[in-house]
Amino acid sequence: MTCQETRLKSRHVSIDMYGGGMSLTHALLGLLATRPQSGYELTKAFEGDLGRYAWQAGHTSIYPELAKLAERGLVEVTAEGARGSKTYDVTDAGRAELRDWLMSPPSRQAKVRNEQVLRMFLLSALDRDDAVTLLRRIAASTAEQADVLRAIREEAGDVVPGPAGFGQLAAEYGLRQYETVSSWALWAIEQLQTPART
């Protein structure tokens, strides 16, 4: 992993909730389960909303992972183009692996690494004015992100069944998450600004 990828990854929540852990393997299998794609197309997907909201990966990790998946029989090359370009598709074994991961229950030994929640646990280390400033920043930024996703949802309309609708399900999830965090931050500000009872 490059220094830049490490910095980018550190900005996002990393929650290892499943026995097999979250992985690039499963992200690639999920993308290929919707349609065959080249490594370039997969890289572009990670540069978009997927990388922004869920999982970040660059071409330096995507291409080696595709080779490993092909060795394991989870994906196969279905076409080769100019300059060595390859189009990959998920195999039945790959779909089974993806399904097992998606359907597996959370592990009790899960390692949770959520920087935002850790910051909230440590909020009391700040004086009240600094804590309120931080909470206002959180409320504003999450409200702004909710507005972005709200516009995406409104433009798309109803969620349609099948792969075309999954992005909208994810957008709605993100929208509700941002709305909840923004609402929580405003509530927390009220709590900190309420005079202590004697």
Side-chain angles (χ1 to χ4, degrees), residues 4-192:
Q4 182 179 4
E5 286 175 326
T6 302
R7 283 196 305 273
L8 288 172
K9 188 174 178 184
S10 70
R11 293 181 193 167
H12 289 262
V13 173
S14 173
I15 304 175
D16 182 4
M17 299 189 322
Y18 300 94
M22 290 188 346
S23 73
L24 179 56
T25 294
H26 299 105
L28 290 170
L29 290 175
L31 288 171
L32 292 173
T34 62
R35 67 179 176 87
Q37 297 178 66
S38 68
Y40 176 79
E41 291 172 309
L42 291 165
T43 300
K44 286 297 181 189
F46 282 96
E47 289 174 1
D49 289 342
L50 180 66
R52 183 175 181 193
Y53 296 110
W55 188 269
Q56 291 189 334
H59 70 278
T60 56
S61 54
I62 291 170
Y63 283 94
E65 188 65 25
L66 286 170
K68 290 177 190 173
L69 292 174
E71 286 176 17
R72 293 175 55 197
L74 301 179
V75 303
E76 61 186 355
V77 176
T78 57
E80 293 195 38
R83 297 186 299 274
S85 171
K86 296 177 182 177
T87 298
Y88 295 86
D89 197 2
V90 68
T91 63
D92 289 342
R95 286 183 189 279
E97 168 68 24
L98 177 63
R99 184 184 184 282
D100 287 348
W101 178 75
L102 286 169
M103 300 299 289
S104 64
S107 167
R108 291 192 181 274
Q109 287 81 36
K111 292 179 182 177
V112 178
R113 293 186 181 107
N114 186 323
E115 181 181 344
Q116 193 62 39
V117 173
L118 177 60
R119 285 172 181 264
M120 295 308 97
F121 269 104
L122 302 177
L123 198 61
S124 62
L126 296 174
D127 65 37
R128 187 167 62 178
D129 289 343
D130 283 345
V132 168
T133 298
L134 174 60
L135 288 165
R136 283 192 179 124
R137 191 179 314 140
I138 290 169
S141 66
T142 52
E144 183 179 313
Q145 291 296 323
D147 288 343
V148 169
L149 290 175
R150 192 174 296 108
I152 291 170
R153 288 289 298 116
E154 288 172 1
E155 183 179 321
D158 293 336
V159 174
V160 296
F166 294 154
Q168 290 303 314
L169 290 176
E172 182 69 22
Y173 175 84
L175 169 61
R176 293 182 187 207
Q177 188 175 40
Y178 283 128
E179 287 176 338
T180 299
V181 172
S182 184
S183 175
W184 167 83
L186 293 173
W187 170 84
I189 290 168
E190 285 181 18
Q191 305 311 303
L192 289 176

